[in-house]
Amino acid sequence: MMTPCGKIGQLLRARRKSLQLRQRDLAELAGVGLRGLTAIESGRGNPTLNQLSEIAGVLGLEVTLTQRRPDADS
């Protein structure tokens, strides 16, 4: 089972690739380090909410919280 960080990293990587952005370019535009971005995309990183929001913004995404249904899987 993939961790939440792994799922987020996979989504960010797929979106970056669909926009044909290099990791180096995304890191620079989002104001995060290349090593940090690489770790986030691989599911090993633990980004701050601010970092995640900046990366998502560059990719045309937004960070939101939604309430889960009581019967939803954890």
Side-chain angles (χ1 to χ4, degrees):
M1 185 168 150
M2 189 177 293
T3 66
C5 286
K7 290 177 185 177
I8 291 169
Q10 192 174 54
L11 173 67
L12 294 175
R13 181 176 40 253
R15 179 67 176 162
R16 175 182 60 76
K17 287 184 174 188
S18 75
L19 295 173
Q20 299 179 345
L21 274 173
R22 297 181 310 165
Q23 283 182 324
R24 181 178 311 277
D25 297 329
L26 175 56
E28 184 176 322
L29 291 168
V32 299
L34 179 57
R35 291 175 105 184
L37 178 62
T38 302
I40 293 166
E41 284 192 357
S42 68
R44 293 178 289 111
N46 188 14
T48 66
L49 183 56
N50 191 45
Q51 289 172 322
L52 191 56
S53 182
E54 291 295 326
I55 294 166
V58 171
L59 296 174
L61 303 170
E62 65 181 19
V63 177
T64 61
L65 293 174
T66 57
Q67 186 173 354
R68 282 191 279 178
R69 296 186 326 251
D71 62 334
D73 293 331
S74 297

